[in-house]
Amino acid sequence: MSENKLRHVAIIMDGNGRWATVRSRPRVWGHIRGSTVVADIVEEADACGVQALTLYAFSTENWCRPQTEVKVLFALLKKFLLKERPRLIKNQVRFRMMGDLSHLPKDTQNLIQSLENETQNFKGLKLTFAFSYGGRDEIVSAVNNWVEKNPGQKLTVEALQNSLLVPDLGDVDLLIRTGGDQRISNFMLWQVAYAELFFTHTKWPDFTAEEFRSILDKTGKRERRFGSVCAEDNLKQTIQKAHQNKFQLFNQSEVH
Ligand code: IPE
Ligand code: IPE
Ligand code: MG
């Protein structure tokens, strides 16, 4: 594989329920099987040189699911935190969660806090779980928090960016969704503005490190133009160029 340019990869881990249903099993079977895939993908992302991996595990809308299913998802999160803790620490992974965690069981909240604290200075892969997370909620909270701290001032793109839940993750470079559906489902609405999108029919429990690597390889070859006419290194450069051009054209039209 060529050098990986996709710094921040986000995944909508979808298709668990259907994976189980086609096997005539209850939906939670799919979640249980799906939860065993996560650690492999985390390792592969690290091995591929990805710097930040953000995984969508539970949305604000998923609260509407049957309570039994929600409880299984909570239990699987707790299991992951307990089981993977040593490996995450060994690999210097910086672990964080984003979303409204206030309704999670207290012991799970404590496990999260403890792992976040323990890994806060690690310089390896930034692994973030989006749990009880919604992109709209994130933007609204960011705006409200900023306005409260800066009364009467005008919000800027940069200020909003810095007010998001985990600002240092930056823009998403590649968004993968498993399970065959082609939608965003309220995930990182701000951060995916210029993301490459990749939809695979593979359901999450069948997703493998090999497929992850091959998606990275394929999308890494795409030309990202960020609104320009040729491939650019990053969005910031094209925005700067756009401002310069706007300024120059405006001045010229004033002269004539
Ligand atoms: C994704 O799988 C996991 C969560 C949303 C928690 P689903 O449970 O949505 O599986 P499908 O899409 O119904 O197959
Ligand atoms: C998105 O999947 C949320 C997660 C994968 C955690 P959903 O299954 O909830 O999304 P919709 O309902 O198909 O849009
Ligand atoms: Mg789904």
Side-chain angles (χ1 to χ4, degrees):
M1 198 179 86
S2 50
E3 197 207 336
N4 174 46
K5 289 182 286 184
L6 303 163
R7 207 191 55 83
H8 181 189
V9 178
I11 309 182
I12 301 175
M13 305 183 291
D14 195 28
N16 292 349
R18 281 164 286 161
W19 183 92
T21 304
V22 295
R23 287 163 179 78
S24 309
R25 300 285 187 187
R27 291 175 51 82
V28 294
W29 267 66
H31 296 315
I32 294 165
R33 179 60 84 93
S35 69
T36 65
V37 173
V38 176
D40 282 353
I41 303 304
V42 172
E43 280 218 334
E44 190 64 13
D46 206 4
C48 289
V50 168
Q51 289 167 38
L53 178 69
T54 306
L55 301 175
Y56 202 10
F58 190 82
S59 73
T60 44
E61 290 73 25
N62 290 149
W63 281 104
C64 74
R65 295 190 177 197
Q67 286 191 10
T68 44
E69 183 170 338
V70 172
K71 278 190 187 154
V72 168
L73 290 165
F74 286 0
L76 290 170
L77 171 66
K78 183 177 171 187
K79 191 172 169 204
F80 179 91
L81 294 166
L82 287 168
K83 183 163 179 261
E84 296 303 325
R85 183 186 172 102
R87 189 152 46 149
L88 295 174
I89 291 170
K90 182 175 142 270
N91 293 334
Q92 298 277 298
V93 170
R94 170 133 197 231
F95 178 82
R96 279 171 292 184
M97 294 209 34
M98 60 177 188
D100 176 9
L101 306 179
S102 61
H103 297 287
L104 287 178
K106 198 75 199 141
D107 60 342
T108 309
Q109 288 187 38
N110 291 340
L111 285 172
I112 294 164
Q113 194 63 60
S114 147
L115 189 55
E116 285 187 342
N117 290 346
E118 177 105 24
T119 65
Q120 65 182 332
N121 296 317
F122 286 175
K123 300 281 180 272
L125 176 77
K126 292 175 179 177
L127 172 65
T128 309
F129 276 11
F131 203 98
S132 188
Y133 168 89
R136 287 182 168 176
D137 276 3
E138 179 181 29
I139 294 169
V140 170
S141 308
V143 172
N144 282 336
N145 292 339
W146 190 88
V147 167
E148 207 177 306
K149 285 189 206 136
N150 302 276
Q153 288 187 48
K154 266 200 171 166
L155 181 61
T156 61
V157 166
E158 208 174 22
L160 177 48
Q161 212 137 281
N162 291 331
S163 307
L164 295 172
L165 290 170
V166 191
D168 61 280
L169 296 179
D171 285 340
V172 171
D173 295 302
L174 166 63
L175 173 67
I176 300 170
R177 182 175 185 138
T178 61
D181 287 322
Q182 303 193 1
R183 53 178 170 259
I184 307 292
S185 299
N186 203 12
F187 189 39
M188 299 188 101
L189 299 177
W190 177 274
Q191 298 90 330
V192 298
Y194 264 99
E196 294 299 320
L197 306 178
F198 195 100
F199 301 101
T200 170
H201 282 284
T202 308
K203 296 177 184 71
W204 179 253
D206 286 332
F207 195 63
T208 59
E210 289 71 34
E211 183 168 1
F212 178 80
R213 185 175 280 260
S214 122
I215 292 172
L216 225 57
D217 213 3
K218 271 185 242 166
T219 44
K221 292 193 180 89
R222 288 185 192 166
E223 188 178 86
R224 302 184 75 195
R225 294 185 292 277
F226 303 108
S228 181
V229 288
C230 54
E232 295 283 340
D233 273 354
N234 61 50
L235 184 54
K236 213 171 161 188
Q237 285 172 350
T238 67
I239 290 172
Q240 272 166 2
K241 226 185 272 176
H243 278 306
Q244 275 167 14
N245 280 351
K246 228 192 294 179
F247 183 71
Q248 281 168 4
L249 286 171
F250 176 72
N251 282 352
Q252 277 166 15
S253 65
E254 266 203 334
V255 171
H256 299 300

Coordinates of all heavy atoms in Angstrom, one line a residue, residues 11-15 18 27 55-59 61-62 65 130 177 181 183-187, ligand 2:
I11 N -16.1 5.6 10.8 CA -16.9 4.4 10.3 C -18.2 4.4 10.9 O -18.4 4.5 12.1 CB -16.2 3.1 10.5 CG1 -14.7 3.1 10.1 CG2 -16.9 1.9 9.9 CD1 -14.0 1.8 10.2
I12 N -19.3 4.3 10.1 CA -20.6 4.0 10.5 C -20.8 2.5 10.5 O -20.9 1.9 9.4 CB -21.7 4.7 9.6 CG1 -21.5 6.2 9.6 CG2 -23.1 4.3 10.1 CD1 -22.4 7.0 8.7
M13 N -20.7 1.9 11.7 CA -20.7 0.4 11.8 C -22.1 -0.1 11.7 O -22.7 -0.4 12.7 CB -20.0 0.0 13.1 CG -18.6 0.6 13.3 SD -17.8 0.1 14.8 CE -18.8 0.8 16.1
D14 N -22.6 -0.4 10.5 CA -24.0 -0.7 10.3 C -24.2 -2.1 9.7 O -23.3 -2.6 9.1 CB -24.6 0.4 9.4 CG -26.2 0.4 9.5 OD1 -26.7 0.0 10.5 OD2 -26.8 0.7 8.5
G15 N -25.4 -2.6 10.0 CA -25.7 -3.9 9.4 C -25.8 -5.1 10.4 O -26.0 -6.2 10.0
R18 N -29.4 -6.8 10.5 CA -29.7 -7.6 9.3 C -28.8 -8.8 9.2 O -29.2 -9.9 8.7 CB -29.6 -6.7 8.0 CG -30.8 -5.8 7.8 CD -30.4 -4.7 6.9 NE -29.6 -3.7 7.5 CZ -28.9 -2.8 6.8 NH1 -28.9 -2.8 5.5 NH2 -28.1 -1.9 7.4
R27 N -31.7 -9.9 16.7 CA -30.8 -8.8 16.2 C -29.5 -8.7 17.1 O -28.5 -8.4 16.6 CB -31.6 -7.5 16.3 CG -32.6 -7.3 15.2 CD -33.4 -6.0 15.4 NE -32.5 -4.9 15.5 CZ -31.9 -4.3 14.4 NH1 -32.2 -4.6 13.2 NH2 -31.1 -3.3 14.6
L55 N -15.4 5.9 15.5 CA -16.4 4.8 15.3 C -17.8 5.1 15.8 O -17.9 5.5 17.0 CB -15.9 3.5 15.9 CG -14.5 3.0 15.5 CD1 -14.1 1.8 16.3 CD2 -14.6 2.6 14.0
Y56 N -18.8 5.0 15.0 CA -20.1 5.4 15.4 C -20.8 4.1 15.9 O -21.0 3.1 15.2 CB -20.9 5.8 14.1 CG -22.1 6.7 14.3 CD1 -22.5 7.3 15.5 CD2 -23.0 6.9 13.2 CE1 -23.6 8.1 15.6 CE2 -24.1 7.7 13.3 CZ -24.4 8.3 14.5 OH -25.5 9.1 14.7
A57 N -21.0 4.1 17.3 CA -21.5 2.9 17.9 C -22.9 3.0 18.4 O -23.6 2.0 18.5 CB -20.6 2.6 19.1
F58 N -23.4 4.2 18.6 CA -24.8 4.4 19.1 C -25.2 5.8 18.9 O -24.5 6.8 19.4 CB -24.8 4.0 20.6 CG -26.2 3.9 21.2 CD1 -26.9 2.7 21.0 CD2 -26.8 5.0 21.9 CE1 -28.2 2.6 21.6 CE2 -28.0 4.9 22.5 CZ -28.8 3.7 22.3
S59 N -26.3 6.0 18.2 CA -26.7 7.4 17.9 C -27.7 7.9 18.8 O -28.4 7.1 19.6 CB -27.3 7.5 16.4 OG -28.5 6.9 16.4
E61 N -30.5 8.8 18.0 CA -31.8 8.2 17.6 C -31.9 6.8 18.0 O -33.0 6.2 18.0 CB -31.9 8.4 16.0 CG -32.1 9.8 15.5 CD -30.9 10.7 15.6 OE1 -29.7 10.2 15.6 OE2 -31.1 11.9 15.8
N62 N -30.8 6.1 18.2 CA -30.8 4.7 18.6 C -31.5 4.4 19.9 O -31.8 3.3 20.3 CB -29.4 4.0 18.5 CG -28.8 3.9 17.2 OD1 -27.6 3.9 17.0 ND2 -29.7 3.7 16.1
R65 N -34.8 2.4 20.1 CA -34.8 0.9 19.9 C -35.3 0.2 21.2 O -35.3 0.8 22.3 CB -33.4 0.4 19.6 CG -33.0 1.0 18.3 CD -31.7 0.3 17.8 NE -31.4 0.8 16.4 CZ -30.6 0.2 15.6 NH1 -30.0 -0.9 15.9 NH2 -30.3 0.8 14.4
A130 N -18.2 7.2 19.1 CA -19.3 8.1 19.2 C -20.5 7.3 19.8 O -20.9 6.3 19.1 CB -19.7 8.6 17.8
R177 N -19.2 3.5 5.4 CA -20.4 3.0 6.0 C -20.6 1.5 5.5 O -20.6 1.3 4.3 CB -21.7 3.8 5.7 CG -22.9 3.2 6.4 CD -24.2 4.0 6.1 NE -25.3 3.5 6.9 CZ -26.1 4.2 7.6 NH1 -26.1 5.5 7.6 NH2 -27.1 3.6 8.3
D181 N -26.4 0.7 3.1 CA -27.2 2.0 3.0 C -26.2 3.1 2.7 O -25.1 3.1 3.2 CB -28.0 2.2 4.3 CG -29.1 1.3 4.4 OD1 -29.8 1.0 3.4 OD2 -29.4 0.8 5.6
R183 N -26.2 6.7 3.5 CA -26.6 7.9 4.2 C -25.7 8.1 5.3 O -24.9 7.3 5.8 CB -28.1 7.8 4.6 CG -28.4 6.6 5.4 CD -29.9 6.6 5.9 NE -30.3 5.4 6.5 CZ -31.0 4.4 5.8 NH1 -31.4 4.6 4.6 NH2 -31.3 3.3 6.5
I184 N -25.9 9.4 5.9 CA -24.9 9.8 7.0 C -25.5 9.6 8.3 O -24.8 9.4 9.3 CB -24.6 11.3 6.8 CG1 -24.2 11.6 5.3 CG2 -23.6 11.9 7.8 CD1 -22.8 11.1 5.0
S185 N -26.8 9.5 8.5 CA -27.5 9.2 9.7 C -27.0 10.0 10.9 O -26.7 9.5 12.0 CB -27.4 7.7 10.1 OG -28.0 6.9 9.1
N186 N -26.9 11.3 10.7 CA -26.5 12.3 11.8 C -25.1 12.1 12.4 O -24.9 12.3 13.5 CB -27.6 12.2 12.9 CG -27.7 13.4 13.7 OD1 -27.1 14.5 13.4 ND2 -28.4 13.3 14.9
F187 N -24.2 11.7 11.5 CA -22.8 11.4 12.0 C -21.9 12.5 11.6 O -21.7 12.8 10.4 CB -22.3 10.0 11.5 CG -21.1 9.6 12.1 CD1 -20.8 9.8 13.5 CD2 -20.1 8.9 11.3 CE1 -19.6 9.3 14.0 CE2 -18.9 8.4 11.9 CZ -18.7 8.6 13.2
Ligands
IPE2 C1 -26.4 4.6 12.3 O1 -27.0 3.4 12.0 C2 -25.9 4.6 13.7 C3 -24.9 3.6 14.0 C4 -24.3 2.8 13.2 C5 -24.4 3.6 15.4 P1 -28.6 3.3 12.0 O2 -29.0 1.9 11.6 O3 -29.1 3.8 13.3 O4 -29.1 4.3 10.9 P2 -30.4 4.4 10.0 O5 -31.6 4.2 10.9 O6 -30.3 3.2 9.1 O7 -30.3 5.7 9.3

